[in-house]
Amino acid sequence: MSPKRFHFRLESVLEIRKNKQEQEEKIYMKLVDELSRLDRQIEEVQKEQKRVFEECELKLTGTLMLDEWRRDLDYIRYLEEVIAQLKRRRQEVDLQRLRQKEVMIEATKKRKTMDLLKEKYLQEYMFEMNRLEQIEIDDWVTTGYMRRG
């Protein structure tokens, strides 16, 4: 008697759940990358704003050209608006990231549930194969004993 191979009937469902989990993780990682990119942009614009502000302060101690000073102030205001827009975008992306984290956790739970179910079925299969093998061995031993006796 040759044992049949283990076949998990829900393997296709398990694969679908694994793929779904991987997709959700990729989306999550893209959002994390987007947050990092926005943080770098905010930092760069803040550095530029600080640089321009310091230049303005130096110009105030030197010769004061009203047009140049106004232009610098307008640029500083523009940079403030850019920073505010980037921070709003960052908040939106962070909210998306938090929602996606929940979706990803749920997908992971579903996949792990299927993994546990597969493991349970595999253990049951192995138990049954061992039981059948033991019955076969017992039959051989009994048959051999009967022949000798």
Side-chain angles (χ1 to χ4, degrees):
M1 176 179 166
S2 74
K4 60 181 182 176
R5 275 187 58 216
F6 173 71
H7 175 69
F8 184 53
R9 289 180 289 163
L10 299 173
E11 190 69 40
S12 60
V13 176
L14 177 60
E15 285 303 313
I16 289 170
R17 291 199 177 166
K18 282 181 183 179
N19 291 338
K20 178 71 173 164
Q21 179 194 9
E22 289 171 3
Q23 288 174 342
E24 299 302 339
E25 285 176 352
K26 285 179 185 177
I27 293 169
Y28 179 79
M29 292 311 297
K30 283 182 183 179
L31 290 170
V32 169
D33 290 345
E34 176 73 7
L35 279 175
S36 296
R37 187 186 63 78
L38 286 168
D39 286 339
R40 285 190 305 274
Q41 280 183 316
I42 289 169
E43 186 178 325
E44 289 171 10
V45 174
Q46 286 173 334
K47 283 181 184 177
E48 174 66 9
Q49 183 184 32
K50 183 179 178 183
R51 185 192 63 77
V52 171
F53 188 76
E54 287 172 354
E55 278 183 16
C56 264
E57 285 180 331
L58 287 175
K59 289 176 186 175
L60 286 175
T61 58
T63 58
L64 180 64
M65 298 188 150
L66 195 56
D67 289 339
E68 193 174 335
W69 188 69
R70 275 194 188 133
R71 188 176 50 237
D72 289 343
L73 284 179
D74 288 342
Y75 185 55
I76 289 172
R77 283 190 205 110
Y78 166 76
L79 292 174
E80 285 173 356
E81 290 175 24
V82 169
I83 290 169
Q85 288 173 354
L86 288 170
K87 286 183 177 182
R88 280 192 299 274
R89 175 69 181 136
R90 189 196 183 289
Q91 284 179 327
E92 292 169 7
V93 171
D94 196 34
L95 187 59
Q96 289 174 348
R97 180 193 61 84
L98 291 173
R99 287 184 194 137
Q100 184 60 34
K101 185 176 183 179
E102 292 300 318
V103 171
M104 183 183 70
I105 289 170
E106 189 61 32
T108 301
K109 285 179 186 177
K110 287 180 179 180
R111 188 210 43 123
K112 284 184 178 182
T113 301
M114 292 302 294
D115 282 339
L116 289 173
L117 187 60
K118 181 179 181 179
E119 183 64 29
K120 178 184 172 196
Y121 283 142
L122 178 60
Q123 287 175 356
E124 289 173 2
Y125 169 81
M126 294 303 294
F127 179 80
E128 183 63 18
M129 288 296 107
N130 288 338
R131 187 184 71 78
L132 292 174
E133 185 179 314
Q134 188 62 46
I135 289 171
E136 193 172 331
I137 290 170
D138 289 347
D139 286 346
W140 287 345
V141 169
T142 304
T143 306
Y145 181 74
M146 295 287 222
R147 285 185 190 163
R148 283 189 285 175

